[in-house]
Amino acid sequence: MIRLSLILAGLAICNAVLAILMPWYVVTRLGIGLDTDAFFASGALPQLIFVVTSFSLTQVLVPLLATGDEKSFRRDAWGFFLGVNAVFALLAIILFATTGLWVSLLVPGFPAEARQLTVTLTRIQLFTMIGNASVVVLWSVYYARQKFIWAESSSLLGNAVGLLFLFWTLPYYGIKAAAWATVITLGLKVALLMPVLGPWQRPQWNSLAMKEAWRRIQPFLLGETYAKSDPLIDRFLTSLTTAGNLSLLYIGQQVYSAINLVITRAISTPSVPRLAIAAKSGEWRGFRHVYHQRLLIVLAVTVAACGGLFFAGEPFLRLLIGHGGITAENVHMLWWIMVALSGLLIGGGAGQVTSGAFYAMGDTRTPTMLFIVTFTVYVPIKILVFLRYGMIGLAVAASLHLIINFLLQLTLLEMARLPREG
């Protein structure tokens, strides 16, 4: 188990590095401006759908597939794959036809030329929405068969090929090449994962697994879509500011998201089975020990990383991206945004541990409802702070939201949900 965790952590780190390299190459080659703003804005909706489906579908499909026999497994796997693809293909067609309408609402501050570019790039990236949904279903099939390594390795290969395609085409075709690179990356991932479905099986659309999947996924979809809609609000607000600010905020968020992914895979996720076993057997002393240990490790790592960013982050960023089309002012602004966003790393990483403890106890409702409540309060405050203090105020508000959400989770876990005996 330890060896598996280390392998998965290593693959997650490699994928995180590649995820950062793609926007890094785009901005260093093209500079920070309306083109990069349009590109990062165009991926907002497909990314939102990926985040929602990756959580909702895996939480629902993995348990259903893991408990089926071989015949029903193949039949249901094909059914889920085809059904989800059909739904997202239909959604993509509708969004493609109406792109001009909703993109104007998403980035109202863009000038007409930038809005049109955003529309063009968005229509390309809508293909990734279908690809992301396919990948999540295929990941679920692999996870149900406990084949974790290839699920991660295929992402690594897809990301690497996508990055090479970007290196080759961006100098010639500009920002549109970046959008097509994301499509090619997702297409390759789907191709690499498809063999897990095995020989063709005719789906049984009214099977017990299909009905149960629909029943289970409905509560997730609305709540998760609402709770994960923050990037759309960010794109809306940052489109009203100076050209390039949207790109800088996106880069800062991507760096922290990549780091949190590594922390989740290496520290949080491996602890969930141990916590679940301790919770099932009623050994709450052992439960507390495991989750406190992981929480302290995450807090130590994230606080140290944020301290390093504050004291030495700007020279490091200047060395990392301060060349090509990136100016010294861009680097300085990015550093301040990342300092202001540091709560995403601390609160986000620690919140993964506490929410994982809830999930291990069989409680998925409390952390979800808590996030929805805090998000509802946070959004109007975030808008007011942005109007008063601009980009840095927006970043600070995002940080405080995740830190407060983590502290509330911790309080509820310690005071209300976690038994004292044992």
Side-chain angles (χ1 to χ4, degrees), residues 126-405:
L126 284 174
F127 290 104
T128 68
M129 187 177 71
I130 305 171
N132 276 325
S134 300
V135 166
V136 171
V137 174
L138 293 170
W139 276 347
S140 299
V141 178
Y142 274 97
Y143 295 160
R145 283 296 183 255
Q146 300 187 43
K147 298 178 179 179
F148 303 104
I149 294 178
W150 180 243
E152 293 293 332
S153 300
S154 61
S155 292
L156 183 62
L157 289 172
N159 289 333
V161 172
L163 186 62
L164 290 174
F165 176 85
L166 185 64
F167 285 162
W168 176 51
T169 59
L170 189 68
Y172 301 100
Y173 301 103
I175 199 65
K176 290 181 183 179
W180 282 112
T182 62
V183 176
I184 289 172
T185 298
L186 265 298
L188 183 57
K189 289 180 184 180
V190 173
L192 291 171
L193 292 169
M194 278 285 289
V196 75
L197 295 176
W200 161 255
Q201 295 284 326
R202 184 183 180 86
Q204 185 179 338
W205 301 111
N206 63 344
S207 70
L208 181 62
M210 299 293 285
K211 293 178 180 178
E212 184 63 13
W214 176 242
R215 185 189 70 81
R216 292 187 187 185
I217 204 171
Q218 289 181 70
F220 280 117
L221 288 178
L222 185 59
E224 282 297 302
T225 301
Y226 174 68
K228 298 296 191 294
S229 61
D230 202 28
L232 300 182
I233 300 172
D234 288 341
R235 302 301 186 273
F236 177 90
L237 295 175
T238 51
S239 75
L240 303 173
T241 65
T242 306
N245 279 343
L246 188 153
S247 299
L248 294 172
L249 180 67
Y250 175 86
I251 293 169
Q253 291 172 331
Q254 278 293 100
V255 171
Y256 285 141
S257 294
I259 296 173
N260 269 330
L261 176 64
V262 174
I263 291 173
T264 299
R265 299 286 175 86
I267 302 175
S268 304
T269 301
S271 69
V272 172
R274 294 174 61 190
L275 291 172
I277 293 170
K280 186 176 182 180
S281 61
E283 296 199 15
W284 300 110
R285 189 185 303 276
F287 186 100
R288 286 177 181 275
H289 173 74
V290 172
Y291 117 77
H292 283 164
Q293 181 188 60
R294 297 300 171 125
L295 182 58
L296 289 174
I297 292 173
V298 169
L299 286 173
V301 170
T302 55
V303 171
C306 290
L309 173 68
F310 182 79
F311 290 107
E314 187 169 7
F316 178 74
L317 288 173
R318 190 179 301 115
L319 178 66
L320 188 65
I321 67 169
H323 47 84
I326 305 297
T327 66
E329 290 182 359
N330 292 151
V331 173
H332 184 69
M333 186 62 177
L334 176 60
W335 174 66
W336 269 118
I337 289 174
M338 292 188 67
V339 169
L341 285 173
S342 57
L344 270 64
L345 187 59
I346 299 172
Q352 289 293 330
V353 178
T354 50
S355 61
F358 277 106
Y359 297 151
M361 297 168 69
D363 182 359
T364 58
R365 185 176 185 275
T366 298
T368 301
M369 292 305 298
L370 181 61
F371 192 90
I372 289 174
V373 171
T374 58
F375 182 73
T376 302
V377 175
Y378 150 74
V379 169
I381 295 175
K382 174 181 182 175
I383 294 172
L384 292 174
V385 170
F386 168 76
L387 294 175
R388 178 67 179 84
Y389 299 103
M391 287 291 298
I392 301 302
L394 184 150
V396 170
S399 288
L400 290 176
H401 172 230
L402 286 192
I403 290 175
I404 290 171
N405 189 75

Side-chain angles (χ1 to χ4, degrees), residues 397-416:
S399 288
L400 290 176
H401 172 230
L402 286 192
I403 290 175
I404 290 171
N405 189 75
F406 154 65
L407 292 175
L408 289 174
Q409 275 194 24
L410 181 64
T411 301
L412 285 175
L413 185 61
E414 292 286 344
M415 302 297 292

